[in-house]
Amino acid sequence: MKNADRTLAILTLLASLLPPLITLSYAQLQDEARALLNIKQAVGLKSPNLASWSTSSNGGPCVGKWAGVTCDSSQRIIQLNMSGLSGFKLEGVLPNDAFSNLTSLRSLDFSYNRLKSPFPSLDNLKNLHDLNFSQNHFNGNLPQTIFNLPNLVELRLNENNLTGRIPEGISNLKGLELIWLGGSNKFESPLPKGLALLPNVEILTLAGSAFEENLPKEWAVWVNLTYLNLHTNKFTGDLPSEWGSKFTKLQKLSLYENHLTGKIPDSWKGMISMKEFRLRDNYLSGPVPSWLAQLANVNASVDLKCNYLRGPYPQWFSDANTWMGNCFDSASRSHDDKCRDDNTCEDGPPKSDGKKNSTAAIIGVVVAVAVFCVILVILYILWSRAYVPRSRRLRRDTGAEDWVVPQGVRRFTYKEILKATKSFDKSCEIGEGGFGKVYFGKLEDGKHVAVKRAGDFSHQGMKEFQNEITLLSRLHHRHLVRLEGFCDDKDEQILVYEYMVNGNLHRHLFEKEAVLLNWYRRLEIALTVAQGLDYLHSFAEPPIIHRDVKPSNILLDDNMAAKVSDFGISKANLDMDTHISTRPAGTAGYVDPEYFLRRHLTTASDVYGYGVVLLELITGQLSIDHKRLEDYNLVAWFKPRKIKQGIQAVIDPRLGSNFPVEAYDEVAEIAMDCTAFERGDRPTMKFVASKLEQILSGLIPPPEHFQPVSSTTSEGKASSMQVSPATSRTGATGEVLLTYIKLDPTFNATAFEPR
Ligand SMILES: Nc1ncnc2c1ncn2[C@@H]1O[C@H](COP(=O)(O)OP(=O)(O)OP(=O)(O)O)[C@@H](O)[C@H]1O
Ligand SMILES: *[C@@H]1O[C@H](CO)[C@@H](O)[C@H](O)[C@H]1NC(C)=O
Ligand SMILES: *[C@@H]1O[C@H](CO)[C@@H](O)[C@H](O)[C@H]1NC(C)=O
Ligand SMILES: *[C@@H]1O[C@H](CO)[C@@H](O)[C@H](O)[C@H]1NC(C)=O
Ligand SMILES: *[C@@H]1O[C@H](CO)[C@@H](O)[C@H](O)[C@H]1NC(C)=O
Ligand SMILES: *[C@@H]1O[C@H](CO)[C@@H](O)[C@H](O)[C@H]1NC(C)=O
Ligand SMILES: *[C@@H]1O[C@H](CO)[C@@H](O)[C@H](O)[C@H]1NC(C)=O
Ligand SMILES: [Mg+2]
C-alpha cells in the first residue's frame, strides 16, 4: 500500500514534468485539482487552511497534504471537508460548476462557513452520500439540485436563511435517513407529502420555521425514527395517535412552542425508547398521562409546562415545580382573567387578587372598578401636577418628544408588556435585582422575553433612560444578552431582553444544578464572558465599563452557552465621585479594591470582578462566604492556599479527578492576575480572552460531548444560531452535546479521557 502510494506519487510528479506521459487518470486528477483550486480562488483565498492547496508545494490533492481532501485508492477525491476552518471561514459564492468534475465525491461538508446563494450544481455527484452545508448564509428556496442525488443519505442545511416550501422532489431521495433543515431557516407550509414516502427517516429537524398545519399522521411509516424536532412552529391540531405504535425507536421528541391541541394520546405509550419528551408551550389539555411515569425509570427529561394539562405532575418531573410551572397553565389563566382582558384600568397598578364571582357580581365589580379607576386617574393627574418632586416632573418634560427610537429595538406599549407578563403576575416573576423585578414574558408572536421593570429606587430621569436605550441598542455581540426593546409609557422604565432559558450562572454554580457545569463547560463560560467583556471594553472610547460582573449577571441559554447581562444599565447616574447613589456600583465580593481606595472606576475594575468569577468557576465557592472560616473573602482565601498547596487544594471537588489539571492551573494563574490588588498588575480582557482561547483549543471535551450524533443531536432556535467559537471548534457534535448535557441528568460530569 505504502509502495503503491509512493509509486503513484512519483508517477504523478513525472507526469507533471513530462507531458507525453499523460494518462487518462492523470488528466482526471488534473481536473480534480483544478476544480479545487477554482473553489479556493472563489471562496478560500483568505483562509490559511487552504494554503496547502497549491500545485507548487506538492504533486496533487491525493499526493500531498491538501487540507480537508480525502481520496480513494484510485486517486479520486471522495471527501471534501471544509467545515469550520478554525475561524477563517470560507466566504462568498461557489461557482455553479465548482463540483462538476468531482464526480466521485461521497461526502461534502462545508458547514460553519459564510457561503452565499446561489447554491452550486451537484448534478454530477451521483455517489454523494452526505451533504452538509449547515451554518452558512444561503437564502431563497431549497436548491433543486439536491433532489438529483440518488444516493444521498444525510442532508444538512440547517441554520441557513432558506425559505419557501420544501419541494415534493425530496421524495426522489429514497435512501434519506437524516434530514436537518431547522434552525434559522424559515420554511413554510405545506409540508411535502413525499416525506412520507421515505421509509428510512431516522432524524428530521424542522424547528424554528413557519409551518402551520397538522402534524402528518402519514409519518407513522418511519419505524426507524429516533429524533423528531419540530419545535417553534405553528403546528396545529391533535397529536397523531398513529405515531404511538410506530415510533418505538423515537428517543427525542421536541414539539414545544407550537399551537397543538387535544390530549396526549394514550397510544403514545408505545414510544418506549423516549428519553426527551418536550411539549411545553402548546394548548394541550386533558390529564397528564399516567404512562409518562414509565419514563422516570430511564431518567427521561419531560417538559410539559405552559399547557392546559391537568395535574398533578408526577413527582419526578425535574421541572414540575419551577416558577414557570403554572405561568401559562389553566390554573393561572382562570385567575381573574376577565378583569384583565377588557381591562379598563391598564394604567393603574396590576391587581393580583380577585375571587371568582357570579356574572352579576362581576358586572358590578367592573363598573365599580371603572369608576374607581377614573377617580384614581384624576387624582393622579392632580397629584402629579401639584406634588411630584421637581426632578421627576422635569424628567417627563424632557422626555420622548424629540427622541428618535434607535433602530433595532422595539418600543413596546405598556399594554403589550402587561399582556406578555399577565399584568406582572407573581407566577411570571423570575428574579429581582438592583434595577427592579424581572418577569418572564411571552410576546404576541410567541417569543419569550425577560421583562425588567425599574423599581422606584432605580428610576432615573427619562432622558437618562433613553440615553441608556440608545447605548444598549448599539451593543451587539453574541456573548451579550440582546435587548429586544423597551417601554417608556406611563413613566415606566422597562427593558425587554431575550429570554435566557437556563437562568443565571450563580444558580448553576451554587444551587443544585452544578452537575451541568463540567470542567469543559466552565472553561467555555470563562472564555465567552471574557469575550463579551472585551467587546464592551473595546467598543467605544471611553470604554464601556460593566461595573457589576458577577455570576448572577452571566446568563445561560438553552445550549448552556453564556452571555453577559446588565451591561450599561443604570450606570448613567452612578458617578460615584460626585453622587451618592442608592445602587452600589458593583456587589460586595466583586468590587475592585482600588475602587474603594480611589473611587476611580476603570475597565480594570471589570477585570477584577471577572477574576472573582473565574475563582468561583474554579473552586465552586461563593465570593463571600461567612461559613468559610479561613477567610470569608474568596480572593484572600484562594491566593495563599493555591500558592502553598497547589491547584488540588482549591479546585471544586465536584469536578472529580478526571479533568486537565494543567489547564486549570493556568486558569487559576489568570484568575489571580485578574484579582491583583494593583490595577496596573491586572491583564486586559483582550489578553485574558486570547489566553483562554489558547488553553481551550488544546483540550478535548469530555466524552459527553461525543454522544452518537444520530440520537443526541439537536438544533437551536434562531437564537442559538450564533455559535460561540468555543463551540464551533468542536463542530456540530460539540454543540449538539451541550444540549444533551442539559437534558440528560444521568451523565457523568467528570468523566474525562486524557489524550
Ligand atoms: N434575560 C434574562 N433571561 C432570563 N432570566 C433573566 C434575564 N435577566 C435576568 N434574569 C433573571 O432575573 C434575575 C434578576 O436579575 P437582575 O439583573 O435584576 O438582578 P441580579 O443580576 O441578581 O442583580 P443586579 O441587580 O446586581 O444585576 C437574574 O439573576 C436572572 O436569574
Ligand atoms: C472540468 O473538466 C473539463 C475537461 O476535463 C474542463 O474543460 C473544465 O474546465 C473543468 N471544469 C472545472 C470547473 O474545473
Ligand atoms: C435572511 O433573509 C432575509 C430576507 O430574505 C434578509 O432580510 C436577511 O438579512 C437574511 N439574513 C441573513 C443572515 O442572511
Ligand atoms: C430500520 O433499521 C434496520 C436496522 O438498522 C434496518 O435493517 C431496516 O431496514 C430499517 N427499516 C426501514 C424501514 O428503514
Ligand atoms: C437514573 O438516575 C439515578 C440517580 O440519579 C441513577 O441511580 C439511575 O441508575 C439512573 N437510571 C438510569 C436508567 O440511567
Ligand atoms: C469534517 O471535519 C469536522 C471537524 O474536524 C468534523 O467535525 C466533521 O465530522 C467532518 N465531517 C465529515 C463529513 O466527516
Ligand atoms: C456534516 O454532516 C455530516 C453528515 O451528516 C456529518 O457526518 C458531519 O459530522 C457534519 N459536520 C459537522 C461539522 O458536524
Ligand atoms: Mg443582573
Side-chain angles (χ1 to χ4, degrees):
M1 188 57 196
K2 275 236 169 76
N3 271 339
D5 272 357
R6 196 174 306 138
T7 315
L8 242 160
I10 291 169
L11 270 181
T12 319
L13 200 66
L14 283 179
S16 65
L17 296 173
L18 305 171
L21 279 186
I22 286 174
T23 60
L24 185 66
S25 82
Y26 170 68
Q28 209 146 38
L29 199 61
Q30 283 294 77
D31 283 350
E32 298 206 330
R34 209 168 16 237
L36 294 187
L37 292 175
N38 281 346
I39 292 172
K40 175 179 175 182
Q41 180 74 28
V43 297
L45 279 182
K46 281 193 237 141
S47 171
N49 304 61
L50 295 198
S52 60
W53 287 21
S54 132
T55 41
S56 58
S57 60
N58 42 46
C62 298
V63 178
K65 283 202 171 346
W66 286 36
V69 181
T70 311
C71 298
D72 64 5
S73 55
S74 54
Q75 308 294 297
R76 300 292 310 277
I77 297 175
I78 53 168
Q79 182 178 43
L80 206 47
N81 187 349
M82 302 282 98
S83 175
L85 298 178
S86 50
F88 292 92
K89 299 186 179 250
L90 303 181
E91 233 172 312
V93 178
L94 282 166
N96 186 51
D97 60 0
F99 303 115
S100 59
N101 283 344
L102 301 174
T103 51
S104 290
L105 272 179
R106 291 210 284 266
S107 170
L108 199 50
D109 189 346
F110 276 71
S111 54
Y112 295 92
N113 283 298
R114 295 202 188 99
L115 299 173
K116 289 194 296 202
S117 287
F119 207 83
S121 168
L122 306 176
D123 289 350
N124 291 352
L125 309 187
K126 296 305 175 203
N127 298 312
L128 199 65
H129 168 276
D130 52 82
L131 175 67
N132 191 345
F133 278 80
S134 62
Q135 296 270 2
N136 275 285
H137 294 337
F138 290 104
N139 59 15
N141 290 336
L142 266 178
Q144 203 61 44
T145 183
I146 59 176
F147 304 123
N148 301 330
L149 301 168
N151 286 306
L152 197 67
V153 174
E154 305 187 6
L155 170 64
R156 293 191 196 221
L157 289 167
N158 51 296
E159 310 291 351
N160 275 285
N161 201 3
L162 297 165
T163 52
R165 293 179 184 182
I166 299 175
E168 286 294 346
I170 198 163
S171 62
N172 295 346
L173 306 177
K174 283 286 180 282
L176 216 48
E177 291 175 6
L178 270 57
I179 310 173
W180 296 78
L181 295 174
S184 48
N185 297 323
K186 274 272 177 296
F187 295 112
E188 59 193 45
S189 279
L191 282 159
K193 294 266 170 289
L195 271 178
L197 302 173
L198 306 178
N200 303 327
V201 174
E202 289 175 19
I203 293 180
L204 173 64
T205 78
L206 288 168
S209 265
F211 292 107
E212 299 179 86
E213 60 192 289
N214 289 357
L215 295 172
K217 57 177 188 295
E218 294 78 12
W219 290 355
V221 291
W222 296 338
V223 296
N224 281 343
L225 190 69
T226 58
Y227 177 29
L228 181 62
N229 184 356
L230 305 175
H231 75 74
T232 319
N233 275 286
K234 291 177 183 159
F235 282 104
T236 54
D238 292 353
L239 304 175
S241 60
E242 292 81 353
W243 287 4
S245 59
K246 292 295 165 54
F247 290 176
T248 54
K249 293 188 185 166
L250 188 58
Q251 296 183 12
K252 290 177 53 174
L253 179 62
S254 276
L255 298 175
Y256 61 86
E257 292 177 351
N258 276 294
H259 300 328
L260 298 165
T261 51
K263 293 201 286 195
I264 299 177
D266 232 28
S267 63
W268 279 27
K269 62 170 170 278
M271 301 181 179
I272 49 176
S273 306
M274 193 62 71
K275 295 211 171 68
E276 281 181 38
F277 190 65
R278 312 201 160 272
L279 300 180
R280 76 168 153 80
D281 285 288
N282 278 290
Y283 303 106
L284 299 171
S285 52
V288 174
S290 55
W291 55 265
L292 274 179
Q294 80 198 21
L295 300 184
N297 304 330
V298 293
N299 294 332
S301 185
V302 174
D303 190 350
L304 302 174
K305 281 178 295 218
C306 299
N307 278 293
Y308 297 92
L309 295 166
R310 279 200 307 278
Y313 288 80
Q315 266 266 284
W316 52 271
F317 274 27
S318 50
D319 38 23
N321 298 318
T322 57
W323 58 270
M324 248 174 103
N326 55 6
C327 180
F328 286 97
D329 72 10
S330 42
S332 71
R333 240 168 222 258
S334 61
H335 177 80
D336 207 15
D337 235 9
K338 185 88 184 158
C339 170
R340 238 167 262 154
D341 285 345
D342 35 57
N343 202 338
T344 43
C345 46
E346 245 146 27
D347 310 356
K351 301 182 278 86
S352 55
D353 57 336
K355 300 248 143 58
K356 280 261 166 70
N357 292 302
S358 73
T359 330
I362 289 175
I363 293 171
V365 166
V366 167
V367 170
V369 164
V371 169
F372 182 66
C373 284
V374 170
I375 293 172
L376 261 189
V377 168
I378 292 171
L379 281 179
Y380 176 76
I381 291 171
L382 289 177
W383 172 77
S384 60
R385 290 254 164 95
Y387 300 113
V388 172
R390 215 173 70 91
S391 60
R392 211 166 155 158
R393 288 266 301 279
L394 260 182
R395 265 179 233 150
R396 303 196 72 197
D397 298 343
T398 54
E401 274 46 85
D402 51 359
W403 180 61
V404 181
V405 177
Q407 282 197 341
V409 292
R410 223 173 112 187
R411 187 181 209 158
F412 291 92
T413 61
Y414 190 56
K415 200 168 170 175
E416 286 173 299
I417 299 286
L418 284 179
K419 193 145 186 209
T421 59
K422 309 210 92 190
S423 300
F424 300 109
D425 194 272
K426 262 240 157 320
S427 67
C428 294
E429 224 175 285
I430 50 180
E432 179 163 12
F435 185 75
K437 285 197 170 150
V438 185
Y439 298 84
F440 169 78
K442 189 170 175 178
L443 301 181
E444 199 88 271
D445 63 2
K447 190 179 219 165
H448 290 179
V449 289
V451 174
K452 282 194 134 171
R453 184 187 197 194
D456 285 342
F457 290 112
S458 52
H459 243 274
Q460 50 188 322
M462 209 31 105
K463 196 86 206 155
E464 282 85 59
F465 183 64
Q466 290 168 346
N467 287 341
E468 200 168 291
I469 303 281
T470 306
L471 172 66
L472 290 178
S473 72
R474 291 186 189 144
L475 298 171
H476 296 288
H477 190 266
R478 61 187 189 285
H479 302 324
L480 298 183
V481 175
R482 190 175 62 247
L483 181 75
E484 301 279 353
F486 67 97
C487 169
D488 59 353
D489 274 6
K490 327 272 180 213
D491 212 22
E492 287 278 348
Q493 297 183 349
I494 295 171
L495 296 166
V496 179
Y497 287 97
E498 70 175 301
Y499 178 62
M500 301 287 288
V501 181
N502 275 312
N504 67 53
L505 175 63
H506 185 93
R507 182 181 131 213
H508 285 276
L509 257 183
F510 304 114
E511 290 161 35
K512 60 188 177 214
E513 285 142 299
V515 69
L516 297 178
L517 298 172
N518 65 35
W519 65 264
Y520 191 80
R521 161 80 44 233
R522 292 189 198 201
L523 298 183
E524 273 190 339
I525 292 172
L527 170 59
T528 307
V529 173
Q531 288 168 332
L533 289 175
D534 174 43
Y535 170 84
L536 285 180
H537 291 175
S538 30
F539 175 80
E541 190 56 52
I544 296 166
I545 302 168
H546 186 294
R547 300 186 187 212
D548 203 4
V549 180
K550 59 175 175 176
S552 79
N553 283 337
I554 295 167
L555 304 180
L556 299 160
D557 72 8
D558 48 353
N559 282 326
M560 292 293 287
K563 297 189 187 189
V564 177
S565 85
D566 287 353
F567 40 94
I569 281 203
S570 293
K571 308 288 154 78
N573 57 350
L574 278 182
D575 188 352
M576 295 297 272
D577 291 336
T578 53
H579 274 234
I580 309 269
S581 169
T582 47
R583 200 182 126 93
T587 302
Y590 303 88
V591 177
D592 175 4
E594 278 235 6
Y595 172 75
F596 267 130
L597 296 178
R598 312 223 155 77
R599 286 284 183 257
H600 186 210
L601 213 45
T602 64
T603 52
S605 314
D606 283 352
V607 175
Y608 185 90
Y610 173 83
V612 179
V613 173
L614 267 190
L615 292 179
E616 296 185 272
L617 283 167
I618 295 169
T619 61
Q621 300 203 34
L622 289 161
S623 62
I624 299 277
D625 185 351
H626 294 283
K627 292 202 215 82
R628 185 172 45 227
L629 297 176
E630 293 155 279
D631 206 307
Y632 298 162
N633 182 300
L634 183 57
V635 177
W637 176 86
F638 186 92
K639 286 188 180 173
R641 203 174 161 94
K642 157 80 173 66
I643 290 165
K644 287 206 205 84
Q645 304 176 44
I647 185 76
Q648 294 292 4
V650 289
I651 204 89
D652 185 349
R654 290 172 296 182
L655 290 173
S657 51
N658 275 329
F659 67 93
V661 178
E662 310 77 42
Y664 264 80
D665 207 29
E666 279 184 78
V667 176
E669 294 295 326
I670 298 175
M672 290 196 287
D673 289 347
C674 290
T675 50
F677 190 83
E678 294 284 339
R679 66 175 44 146
D681 296 340
R682 297 176 207 150
T684 60
M685 282 322 304
K686 193 177 293 309
F687 178 84
V688 172
S690 74
K691 196 82 194 190
L692 285 173
E693 185 149 28
Q694 202 186 324
I695 293 173
L696 255 164
S697 70
L699 296 173
I700 301 177
E704 58 266 23
H705 284 251
F706 296 114
Q707 298 294 324
V709 171
S710 63
S711 62
T712 60
T713 23
S714 167
E715 286 167 301
K717 295 168 283 183
S719 69
S720 59
M721 131 195 180
Q722 302 148 315
V723 177
S724 72
T727 310
S728 56
R729 192 177 306 107
T730 61
T733 338
E735 194 195 5
V736 158
L737 287 146
L738 312 185
T739 313
Y740 184 75
I741 286 166
K742 182 186 74 182
L743 300 173
D744 183 354
T746 64
F747 81 96
N748 174 1
T750 57
F752 168 69
E753 226 139 40
R755 277 200 266 188

